[in-house]
Amino acid sequence: MNQSVTELFDTSLLDAVEQWNDYANDNAQTERVLWGLFTPVKDSLQIAQQVMEAVQAGNWTLPASLPDPEVLGGITSELGDIQAAAFQKMLDEVGRYQNTGAEAGKLLSEALETSGEPQKQLASWLEASLKVTKAYQEDFNQQLADLGAIQSAYTAWWQKSVESLFAGKA
Amino acid sequence: MKHFDRLLRLRLLSLLVLILAVMPPAEAARLPGFGADISKTSVSGLSSGAFMTSQIYVAFSDIMVGAGIVAGGPYLCAKSWAGNSLLTNATTACMNPLTPSVGPNTPHLVALTRDLASSGAIDPIENLADDHLYIFSGKSDTTVTTAVVDQTAAYYEALGVPASSIRYDTSVNAGHAIITDENDDTDCSKTKEPYVNDCGFEQSNIILNQIYGSLNPPADTLSSEIMAFDQSEFIDAANTSMSDTAYAYVPAVCKTHRSCPVHVVLHGCEQGAAVIDPSNKYYAQTGYNQMAEANDIIMLYPQVQPSNAAPVNPKGCWDFWGYSSPQSADPDYFTQNAPQLRAIRSMIDRLAEPVTTISSTDTE
């Protein structure tokens, strides 16, 4: 009757559960950090102030004549580059998800084929599913970073375009 | 009797071990003055340490003679695009922009720098004209890409540093790291903790040679030990994320006989001693101290550490987007009055004070 609870379980299963536990704790920690970085009010104030300063510094006014075709060409060309790069990022994401999906199927099916005691089989499946979850999370994090870069690029392009069309023409 | 002696000795030994075990760890000593010649100060760093390098270098250019920037963008980079927050600019335009055209907004940053100099928030831009710079971007660096570092070179040229005084190296197939000639370090093209890569040369040697001219080759042995000192006494703000302890290497000759210049070395994210000790990779194994020994230069290694809240700096980076002033929508992380810059400047000034008696606890 004095037998410890842990002695009832296979060590591989205990290790697998502990790994999931660590992963959950790490995720909770990351989530708290991300919430700390999420400051929409401050960011809005920051952006509003920066835009006001840019407008004042650039002396933005409506042009009296049609824009220079060369300027327009430059703006269009940069937009084309950004769209091409954004499209490539999205293609890369699809490729990554496909690879992860294929790898996940392989890992999980191998885990299910593990012969032996039920506890060992369960441990094997838990380990494989943790690997798969981490791989998908990595893809998702990369996707978020890519989306951030794309959004930042369009914002920068917009500012450059406005400045080249309207700045200092008074 | 012999048996009794042995027993006594064993007991005394046990007692000593017990006393040592319960003693609190020795506190780092006060950074002494060494009468350093800070009119020849320089600074170098990797990644966030490279962004901080530009901040220190431009803000305090009165005392600077040069800088080494490894995988870093231009001064004020996070202010590149008005429609993005500072953090968004820092993590996109200043690191890995979608296209080069939406990377650092150099003309805008140059104009902002001139405004800051005119207002007296930083030293005059004219100081930079006779300085020497080393800038480096690895071909395999996808963390801070060459498109960003190109703008660092363009920025300094626009501020009047002659192209002939800038050594800009993009020829090495390196990952995101400081470069060494140590076989045990990470393979050259990889980007992996602790971000110290073996590419077959000591980058610290090249940086210091570029800044100070023809220096002696690195020394084989060191005349002093690396000094751990109390960094907390220099911190006068709440959210700096700076560690309580920092490090310095002071060659023996600089402690008493000679007024030596100071070189400030700034680690990158996840590279502070709080993260990678006990390997001491950055402040003991990147070749700076051997160059310091051979050329009578004091090395100063300020330290920053991770912080998950107040401020949010989970990777222990130097501040180049404003985390050290979390309440402000317009944070000051780049002028002489910025919390981290103030602290580092105070450390440099302390080194210039007259030689004081050293009661330090040396490490290493």
Side-chain angles (χ1 to χ4, degrees):
Chain A
M1 288 303 284
N2 286 333
Q3 191 177 29
S4 156
V5 175
T6 54
E7 286 173 29
L8 297 172
F9 297 99
D10 190 276
T11 49
S12 62
L13 183 57
L14 290 172
D15 286 347
V17 170
E18 195 177 332
Q19 281 173 32
W20 265 102
N21 199 32
D22 291 345
Y23 173 71
N25 287 337
D26 287 349
N27 263 358
Q29 178 64 34
T30 305
E31 200 177 317
R32 280 195 290 276
V33 171
L34 288 177
W35 271 112
L37 289 169
F38 182 65
T39 52
V41 175
K42 193 178 91 174
D43 290 355
S44 303
L45 284 171
Q46 201 169 75
I47 289 167
Q49 189 174 337
Q50 289 175 162
V51 170
M52 288 295 290
E53 284 171 4
V55 170
Q56 283 170 357
N59 190 22
W60 293 4
T61 50
L62 282 173
S65 56
L66 286 173
D68 183 346
E70 209 171 298
V71 172
L72 275 178
I75 290 171
T76 315
S77 166
E78 280 189 8
L79 180 62
D81 290 345
I82 289 169
Q83 285 175 324
F87 184 66
Q88 186 57 50
K89 288 268 185 203
M90 285 187 259
L91 278 183
D92 291 347
E93 277 158 22
V94 171
R96 270 197 304 273
Y97 275 116
Q98 279 177 341
N99 286 342
T100 304
E103 188 65 22
K106 194 175 154 210
L107 272 171
L108 290 173
S109 62
E110 279 172 5
L112 288 172
E113 285 167 11
T114 307
S115 58
E117 297 168 21
Q119 285 197 21
K120 284 198 191 304
Q121 282 182 334
L122 182 59
S124 171
W125 188 84
L126 281 172
E127 276 173 21
S129 59
L130 182 59
K131 277 183 192 163
V132 169
T133 306
K134 283 181 177 173
Y136 274 122
Q137 189 181 37
E138 205 169 296
D139 289 351
F140 180 66
N141 289 343
Q142 185 59 52
Q143 188 180 15
L144 284 182
D146 289 346
L147 288 173
I150 291 167
Q151 189 185 4
S152 166
Y154 279 116
T155 305
W157 173 82
W158 180 86
Q159 183 180 337
K160 282 184 86 172
S161 304
V162 169
E163 281 177 352
S164 58
L165 289 172
F166 303 129
K169 299 281 170 66
Chain B
M1 195 63 188
K2 204 172 173 182
H3 178 71
F4 177 77
D5 273 357
R6 193 190 287 171
L7 198 66
L8 187 67
R9 263 191 302 220
L10 262 176
R11 291 244 164 138
L12 284 172
L13 192 64
S14 311
L15 189 66
L16 187 65
V17 168
L18 186 69
I19 289 168
L20 287 174
V22 296
M23 267 174 61
E27 282 183 20
R30 182 178 188 271
L31 179 67
F34 292 107
D37 175 8
I38 61 167
S39 67
K40 290 177 189 153
T41 301
S42 60
V43 55
S44 65
L46 163 71
S47 195
S48 76
F51 282 95
M52 180 52 96
T53 289
S54 276
Q55 289 170 186
I56 300 249
Y57 171 63
V58 175
F60 298 115
S61 60
D62 268 357
I63 59 166
M64 294 287 166
V65 295
I69 296 160
V70 180
Y75 180 57
L76 302 173
C77 189
K79 286 182 170 281
S80 284
W81 304 108
N84 288 330
S85 70
L86 294 170
L87 178 60
T88 301
N89 275 328
T91 53
T92 56
C94 301
M95 291 179 73
N96 192 349
L98 197 63
T99 66
S101 71
V102 293
N105 185 356
T106 302
H108 176 58
L109 305 182
V110 168
L112 280 178
T113 309
R114 291 192 188 284
D115 288 347
L116 285 171
S118 301
S119 72
I122 60 173
D123 287 337
I125 303 302
E126 292 71 32
N127 292 334
L128 309 181
D130 57 353
D131 291 353
H132 289 84
L133 300 177
Y134 171 86
I135 303 172
F136 179 87
S137 177
K139 280 182 184 174
S140 292
D141 188 343
T142 54
T143 308
V144 177
T145 58
T146 302
V148 171
V149 187
D150 284 347
Q151 293 306 308
T152 307
Y155 168 85
Y156 284 112
E157 278 193 54
L159 283 179
V161 183
S164 58
S165 298
I166 301 175
R167 178 171 177 172
Y168 181 28
D169 188 353
T170 56
S171 66
V172 183
N173 187 26
H176 187 67
I178 188 157
I179 308 307
T180 66
D181 191 16
E182 289 293 329
N183 291 337
D184 292 343
D185 289 335
T186 307
D187 289 346
C188 188
S189 63
K190 290 189 175 162
T191 293
K192 185 171 164 279
E193 295 148 12
Y195 311 108
V196 180
N197 286 12
D198 170 27
C199 297
F201 64 95
E202 290 280 0
Q203 197 160 41
S204 54
N205 299 5
I206 298 174
I207 290 171
L208 292 167
N209 267 299
Q210 171 65 13
I211 293 171
Y212 289 105
S214 303
L215 297 180
N216 296 321
D220 292 330
T221 55
L222 301 180
S223 60
S224 294
E225 294 186 328
I226 295 168
M227 177 188 297
F229 67 88
D230 175 15
Q231 185 176 246
S232 64
E233 68 159 314
F234 300 101
I235 302 167
D236 60 6
N239 296 294
T240 63
S241 200
M242 292 173 78
S243 307
D244 286 344
T245 303
Y247 302 88
Y249 180 72
V250 186
V253 70
C254 300
K255 288 182 177 171
T256 47
H257 303 301
R258 196 162 170 179
S259 183
C260 299
V262 176
H263 182 76
V264 182
V265 184
L266 298 160
H267 63 76
C269 304
E270 298 178 304
Q271 274 191 320
V275 178
I276 61 173
D277 251 1
S279 66
N280 304 339
K281 269 285 173 204
Y282 215 92
Y283 65 83
Q285 295 175 44
T286 45
Y288 281 104
N289 298 336
Q290 285 71 16
M291 285 300 283
E293 181 67 42
N295 297 284
D296 304 342
I297 302 170
I298 295 173
M299 292 291 155
L300 178 67
Y301 298 92
Q303 298 289 315
V304 72
Q305 66 188 23
S307 164
N308 285 329
V312 183
N313 179 28
K315 289 187 180 286
C317 305
W318 289 100
D319 185 12
F320 65 101
W321 65 91
Y323 72 70
S324 56
S325 304
Q327 310 304 328
S328 173
D330 186 19
D332 179 6
Y333 57 92
F334 47 82
T335 74
Q336 294 182 350
N337 198 39
Q340 291 183 348
L341 272 71
R342 267 199 324 259
I344 294 173
R345 179 58 199 258
S346 301
M347 293 179 224
I348 297 169
D349 288 341
R350 171 68 60 76
L351 290 169
E353 287 177 7
V355 178
T356 46
T357 311
I358 304 166
S359 58
S360 65
T361 310
D362 283 357
T363 64
E364 271 289 293

